[in-house]
Amino acid sequence: MSRTLTRMALAAAALLGAVACSDNLTVPSYNSPTIAGVNADPNAVQFYATGVLHELRESFYEQTFGVGILGRESYYYFPTDPRFVTGYLIGQTVNGVRQLDPAGFASGNWYTHFRNIRNTVNLAALATSSKALSASQKASVTGFAQTIHGLTLWYLLVSRDTLGVPIATPADPAVPAPFVSRDAAFKYDLALLDSGATALQAAGSAQFPFALTSGFAGFDQPSTFLTFNRAVAARVANDYATKGCGTACYTQALADVSASFFTQPATVADMNIGVYNVYSSTAGDFLNFENNLADPNYLAHASAVTDAQTKANGALDDRSTRKVAQLSTPRPSPGSGVGIPADYYFSMYPSTTTPSRLISDEELLLIKAEAEYGTGNLGQALLDLNTVRTVSGGLAPLSGTTFATDPIGAILYERHFSLLNEGFRWNDARRFGRLNTLELDSNVDPTIRKHFVAPVQPIPTQECNARGNGPLKPPAGCP
Amino acid sequence: MRRYFYGASALMLLLAAPSVGRAQQIREITGRVTQAATGAPLPDISVGVVGQLVGARTNEKGEFRIRVQSAGDVTLQTRALGYKRQTQRLAVGQTTANFSLEKDVLELEGVTVTGAATSVDRRNATSAVASVNSEELNRVPAVSVESALQGKVLGATISMNNGAPGGGGQIQIRGASSLIGRIDPLYVVDGVIISNGVRSNGQHVITGSLNAGEENGTNRLADINPNDIENIEILKGSVASAIYGSQATNGVVVITTKRGTSGAPRFNFTQRVGTYQLIRDHGLRHFKDLATLLASSQVAGNDAGIAAANSVCTASGCPYHDYIKELYGRTDPSLETSANLSGGIETTKYYVSVTDKQDAGIAMNTGARHQSLRASLDQTIGSRITASIGSTMLRSFSQRGISNNDNTNSSPIYGFAYTPNVLDLRHKDAAGNYPINPFGGGPSNISNPFQTFDLMRNNEDVYRILGSANIAFAAYSNATNDVRFNVLAGVDRSSTEAYLFAPASLQFEQPGTNNGTYPGAAVRGNGDNLLGNTQVGGVWVLDPTTKWFRATTSAGIQREARQNRDYTIVAQGLTPGVLVASGAVHTTTGDGQSEVRNQAYYASEEFLTAGERLLLSAGLRGEKSTVNGDPKKLYTFPRFGASLHFANPVRFISDFKIRGTRGEAGNQPSYGDSFLTLTNAGLIDGQTALIQSAVSGNAGIKPERLTETEYGFDGALFNDRVHMEATWFNRDIHDLLVRPLLAPSTGVNQEIVNGGKMRTRGTELGLTVVPIESRGNGVTWTSRVTYQTNGSRILSFNQGVLPFTIGAAGGFGTAFGRLKFSPGQSTSAIYGNYVRKDGSVARDTILGDANPTFQMGFSNDVTWGNWTFAGVADYRKGGTVSNLTLQIQDEGNTTWDYDKKSPNPAVGTTLGSWRYNSWSGGNNTLNYLSDGSFFKIRELTAAYTVPSNLVSRFANVGVRSARFSVSGRNMFIISAYNGYDPEVNNGGNQVARFVDLAPFPPSRSYFLSVDLGF
């Protein structure tokens, strides 16, 4: 028996051993690139930088989408879900006050921006720790990252305004950064853009160690990208001027405009000089979803036509006819009785891949006009406004008297039509205390279907919940 | 039956083996085994000698021959599934023993698996056992195995996702045991772990729905041919994980297929013919006049709709079309043909079967076809080796139409909800075109479901091979020891080819619609699954001659690997007349792969003592897996169990057993959870964009650890006329896998951590009664009632882990009711909003629970002479359903009861408008949360077995037996639920099911069957 048992035990051991020894317990990540793998790649900086630009385009879409509906520039009539109407235009009443639902559809326009801020931070960190890049190349990457970071933070400041935002990007995502006030956030943002400018200057004649998209043609090296950085700074300073900073920021905005790529425009093409988001129908890329063929639910508010002034020949403002067109049949609002039919769509992007303006000469001229007005230079302000009016709108110039009766109204009109569907109207109305001038489509039903103009987009419930009641709790806006 | 094979035949062979210890006195015993009621010989019955490792099986004439190493008294015992065991004591010199076996109507006999190669008598089992045999399973044809099991398994909740032909269902055993880990049981066929995955069919490309679960896919259990199944055993709790470890925390469904038995070749043939029909439909709204129609939400403000309304309606009335019945009213015949051949000699047994089943769906161009070819062989090689080999080739083809959530109105129930049913949409015009639907959200959402089902294709074709080989080596045996080794290897390879085709002529593909950027779409995909598992183990049975105990020691190694590869081509803007992707304007490709490898080591001990009354068992498993953060780390899980049973403890009680087990198991993280990755966001200007991942991976992720305690009793009373069982269980899950939401301002949305504890508790009660029993040809009536209840609660989350949701899979937000996982709350709690009495709105609070309060199953079998009548029903009490089908119909003003009296005309002048208005854009979710209680008649059968004297007339053509039956499935639903069926779920298989949104309406079926034996 013992011999049998020994033989048996040996056979068993051999068999079990054979199975156990093939100890292959490593499986690769097939579907997603590992951070370690990408960082070891010589093109890592390019991949990260492209990621930043890809998400900047996404940020732009979310921003124009959200604030466009709130600013009565656009509708999103998703036929099977009326919450794109109710969530933005009706909201809810809490303690007698109408507001947007922090868990509802209008609570977005938040994470995408912060994610891209994290992308810019990741990119800067990757470049800084790189052994392959020169010091000036590293500076160029830092300048690029901080510029996009600054622009993205401004998007958040527009939608959350008085609620404030967190400005730091924590290393450990489980520990969120504290909220800071709108004022502190503006200061931080301007400093960030200045820091980016300094870094871009430090890069000197070095080239970016990555290629930008064709939307940045003419702005794709540190020295030219710097003029984009200043354009963004001008926009932020101009905005901050009406939100507590005052004349100092208007002065700063004027300086930034002149340090930017701004040139006095003489034609519509000149107005369009600037930086763009680009689109493509290539598989894996995105279409411009504000084009009506790419997304038939993205529609224009009638105010883009009804508010338009007429030219000498009786035709509408060129900007209105250039940017919106009538639908062949009106699109009823989804849901049941929550909105009015839409008659127009945006024709401003003629094809599904027409680039969208990220910042343009036209806007810089409008910033200049407003800043001139804000610094007391009414004559130059009127001159600049009339350049926009006549060149872009084909309208007769405003007389000094007309301008003087309501300079703010004149500025807001030009901004409405020059920057239509680019994410400004709601913010502009708010910063000049004119939210009540925005059109209410439905003002009949006294209880549930009455529209209102929300002053801010709410802090999303998820952000509130992740902070508990401790010192990280946001200052306001959380339920 | 196969389980007996090792024990009996291996041992029998050993008897003749040269290694057997010195021969003692040997005598030969012969005999015959027959059925008590009929006297018919019973083949393949195991006959053993009590206290000795000696046994034999009867041949086709019911005869056996056994050699016993004892000159003294011996006791013989017979065992077989379906018959009560019987013992006979043979005095010295007695060499014949005949047995007359009674049917085991209460199913007290049989064995239950306890390990890779071990089993115990069911009467000694330390935990509750649930099993369903071939006859119970196959009385009434079903779309898939899940459907055939409904109402029959104590401790399991079995639901079909909707009524689309081809399957798609969920089995949940003992409630939830994970939040984001595996929620499905493990499915094992003859020792081979098989895939039950669902492949995304790409339906979201045209519906614009949110996730793959909404695409109404089929899970791969649908491939398994019920005709080949001998027995299904549902292993619950720690017993399951003792064998299959980390993949088995949700229980195991052990499927044993039919095998050959020795004897002359036997051929069985079954033909079934039947039909499916819509089970429950309230119809649609009757628009009473033009004014009502013009005021309705889909017509007001819609110029085309207004024109259409004026063309068909007048001030005195509108036409009425019941679109549901028109589209889902097909009753084409469904056919099933199956045949099997089996036979063999003692050393070689075979079983071959073929099935072709065609189910015609209730809507045009829908249906399913299952084909299967199976062959198995049981062979003894030499004197010590037995091999069981099986191979199945399966094909499943399904045409499932389109259903569930939808954003283009392409899903019919969805589209109809927004289409006032006043137009004839069904009939084509003279030019052969379907009428344009002028309603439904205006020009971006045009859809005529009749056209859709006529022209669209959503086909899935699966070819699958299952193979298994089980080799047993009887290494050593003597009077008290038995040592054997087993090698089991199995493979499951399936290839799914999916084809979705939506031609540009479809109304929802026209320019100007959501799909109109690139009209015409085709999605072609292929998914390959490969699962392989091997087990090598040894079992040593020590049965000392002192007879006071029997110890079974086993140990071994298991390895398992699963791999999935998936390719998809999404083509949009098809070339006219081309049915495939080539030439399309816009083509995107998808390619994904996952791979998991597991290793496990186990050792276990079963100690049977006190005259086979007390069983003590213990085991330990160690596991490694590639899905863990540290794939080299060994996680160990112990288990203990005990049962004590008494034969005739008091009068009236024939058998009583108390039992208890406690064991641990792990539930694995998912593939990819441990990787720290970036996300490929796509392209911009031809460059690849890599960005921060929304969900941060975790390099330290580890399995959830589940500790289950189960105790209960089983009792047989009144001369085995009554059997009762009761089980209580408690599952505590630590290191719960959670995906808490982070502050989005950090730039990271979620992380995966082991960060919580949850607990599931439940009760399972079963009572089987034989009110009437006759030994001869009279009436025997068996009735069974089961009751089960369970509840899962999240006990706590770790510091910093916040409540989280699982996106669209967990509902559509608080306006409609959604799941949210919060500490202290039920895992299936439904969160929503409601308006307080003072008019303020309470937000995101618990309004219901998807988990039923309790469930009951009822089954009755009556045999009366040659007639058999059987019925299965079940009852579910409670379980909140988010009735979004009703919500969209109210929104479209098309609900059948829309015009009933309003409870508050100030809010809405009709019932439908009141419901919708007081829902208040989601401020009052309660309006669309419904009680999901139902009572369903699952099965009814009447079968007639042709008496043998009649059959014998056809003996010249070889007919040996004949049976006819009429059967029906899902005959009635009795429920106050305002919809098709509260059982459906939009998101497919989920941890909690509760969303009814535009399902493919469930159907009932009737079948006529003929079974012939040759």
Side-chain angles (χ1 to χ4, degrees), chain A residues 149 153 167-169 180 183-193:
Chain A
H149 184 164
L153 181 58
I167 51 173
T169 303
V180 301
D183 195 64
F186 264 110
K187 287 197 172 82
Y188 175 83
D189 199 17
L190 285 169
L192 190 66
L193 289 164

Side-chain angles (χ1 to χ4, degrees), chain B residues 956-978:
Chain B
N956 55 341
V957 292
V959 178
R960 191 171 40 82
S961 65
R963 200 170 103 122
F964 300 91
S965 65
V966 182
S967 58
R969 176 174 297 285
N970 289 335
M971 308 289 280
F972 309 103
I973 304 174
I974 300 171
S975 172
Y977 184 74
N978 191 357

Side-chain angles (χ1 to χ4, degrees), chain A residues 407-445:
Chain A
I408 301 295
I411 291 167
L412 290 185
Y413 175 82
E414 303 308 330
R415 285 182 66 88
H416 178 191
F417 283 87
S418 276
L419 304 177
L420 186 69
N421 193 36
E422 292 181 51
F424 292 96
R425 191 181 185 217
W426 177 60
N427 184 44
D428 286 345
R430 183 178 58 201
R431 64 200 181 96
F432 289 108
R434 297 193 181 197
L435 281 179
N436 58 354
T437 62
L438 299 182
E439 298 80 357
L440 298 180
D441 295 336
S442 169
N443 202 13
V444 274
D445 188 321

